[in-house]
Amino acid sequence: MATDPFPGTIGNTVADSGAWWPPRPGAAAKRPNLLVVLFDDVGFSDLGCYGSTIRTPAIDALAARGLRLTGFHTTAMCSTTRAALPTGCNHHRVGMGCLANFDSGFPGYRGKIAPEAATLAEMLRPHGYVNYMLGKWHVTPLNETGPTGPFDGWPLGRGYDRYYGFMDAGTLDSPHGFDTLISWSGLDIGLDRGSPVSHLEAPFAFTGRLRQVTVTLDAPAGLDGEALGQVEMARQ
């Protein structure tokens, strides 16, 4: 195996030897901090700085001090945008042609970012950056988000040093894990269909396949407005 010459000195004794350590990447140069904020399922019409009637004063203030770009290609879905933005590639090219809930068996629809497509975090790390991520990930197939892995498609496997968030499409402040049930909407789901989450108790039940989701409430206040909206998303 070929190796680079050792820049230090190796003598017969410690006294006539000289140690050498490789320089730390980026240690000598001060680099700016980078913050990327990705809004899920948001378009130009949702932001005041682009002419929306919706008030977004904090975002508008940031836009006023920087640049507003108009050429971003939105993929109109969460997983696909989350794959395209950090890699700078078309989402089909990096294996995320649709949602990340499952691997379809075809190259453009693997449900995870292809290993040959470097993320922004992976590209920054060799230059001395320490990368942190907070919030939703949703670019790993559901069957790879469990405690046994594999972990190569998790944030810490794609260039991030620390991560605090959730791996799937969403989460809800509920002891019943409502969104865990919703996230299986692309598969057979429901208490009567052997769902992977069928052991969970909840004040509602699911039956059917995607586009045929039926919600049966056992309690009058079982779902709030946000939860009902997510049910409608799953149904569509």
Side-chain angles (χ1 to χ4, degrees), residues 33-114:
N33 291 320
L34 302 176
L35 175 64
V36 177
V37 181
L38 195 158
F39 292 92
D40 210 323
D41 301 327
V42 171
F44 290 123
S45 62
D46 296 302
L47 305 176
C49 59
Y50 285 100
S52 173
T53 57
I54 301 172
R55 295 185 66 253
T56 54
I59 297 173
D60 297 350
L62 289 173
R65 298 196 298 268
L67 297 175
R68 279 175 287 178
L69 307 178
T70 60
F72 180 67
H73 173 71
T74 177
T75 65
M77 284 193 294
C78 46
S79 297
T80 50
T81 300
R82 291 171 182 278
L85 181 63
T87 62
C89 299
N90 180 278
H91 52 297
H92 293 90
R93 291 286 302 274
V94 298
M96 196 67 66
C98 193
L99 294 178
N101 295 37
F102 54 89
D103 183 343
S104 71
F106 292 93
Y109 300 85
R110 289 297 183 188
K112 66 190 298 185
I113 300 175

Side-chain angles (χ1 to χ4, degrees), residues 133-174:
M133 182 177 174
L134 172 69
K136 174 178 173 178
W137 179 243
H138 203 203
V139 284
T140 302
L142 290 176
N143 64 323
E144 297 187 10
T145 59
T148 60
F151 305 108
D152 60 305
W154 290 37
L156 269 62
R158 296 312 312 255
Y160 294 95
D161 297 280
R162 294 288 187 275
Y163 171 67
Y164 183 80
F166 48 97
M167 295 291 294
D168 200 3
T171 185
L172 189 67
D173 186 15
S174 165

